[in-house]
Amino acid sequence: MRKKNDGRGYDLDYYTLYLHRYLTEHRFPEADDEVLIAARAEAAANVYVESRLAGDEVFVSSEKAMHSLLDGFEISPYEFVSGILADEFSDHISLDERSIEFWTDTFLQELQAEFNDIELSGEFLNTNEGVIFKLVISGRIAEYFDEYGL
């Protein structure tokens, strides 16, 4: 017996695949968290349906669903650290992709505790706390390079 297709399977697959690809591409640690991804996909599909039922246009509903899907995943720690390396330490390291990847992974391990309870976003980084956080991370990277003579 076939199940009646309510159309949500496609939406869930789309949101699931989109979020997994996004998290993987931007190197979020949550990229392998299938439970989180499934829950986010379901929530995004629900937002879309609720928005459409409220009379919103398709593109508005889609935007609301995507916002729900990606909320909190604006900037990954990987992108944050690799950006600092490229912007502030280009005189210490090669800027080729493999070098940036090596040093970013190294510093993510070294600085893991600093990223606890921090949600990176453009909004956060434009606050005083965000500026201080970036300075702390930059300082820790500079100390590492000074200590190891790089």
Side-chain angles (χ1 to χ4, degrees), residues 57-76:
E57 296 290 330
V58 170
F59 69 91
V60 172
S61 299
S62 293
E63 285 296 317
K64 287 180 177 180
M66 292 307 283
H67 183 284
S68 168
L69 185 70
L70 299 174
D71 187 36
F73 293 116
E74 190 173 326
I75 300 169
S76 70

Side-chain angles (χ1 to χ4, degrees), residues 63-108:
E63 285 296 317
K64 287 180 177 180
M66 292 307 283
H67 183 284
S68 168
L69 185 70
L70 299 174
D71 187 36
F73 293 116
E74 190 173 326
I75 300 169
S76 70
Y78 183 91
E79 289 175 319
F80 181 73
V81 171
S82 66
I84 290 174
L85 288 169
D87 293 343
E88 300 179 26
F89 295 96
S90 59
D91 55 333
H92 292 288
I93 62 171
S94 167
L95 293 180
D96 70 43
E97 188 176 327
R98 288 181 8 172
S99 178
I100 291 287
E101 185 175 342
F102 170 79
W103 286 112
T104 300
D105 289 338
T106 299
F107 289 121
L108 284 174

Side-chain angles (χ1 to χ4, degrees), residues 11-71:
D11 291 341
L12 289 175
D13 286 346
Y14 173 76
Y15 293 131
T16 299
L17 293 172
Y18 186 93
L19 183 58
H20 183 265
R21 183 178 51 88
Y22 180 85
L23 296 176
T24 301
E25 191 174 291
H26 295 280
R27 298 183 185 218
F28 281 93
E30 295 88 351
D32 295 325
D33 189 341
E34 293 177 18
V35 173
L36 175 118
I37 291 171
R40 287 284 187 121
E42 176 130 5
N46 289 336
V47 166
Y48 179 85
V49 169
E50 289 170 14
S51 178
R52 289 294 288 145
L53 289 172
D56 290 336
E57 296 290 330
V58 170
F59 69 91
V60 172
S61 299
S62 293
E63 285 296 317
K64 287 180 177 180
M66 292 307 283
H67 183 284
S68 168
L69 185 70
L70 299 174
D71 187 36

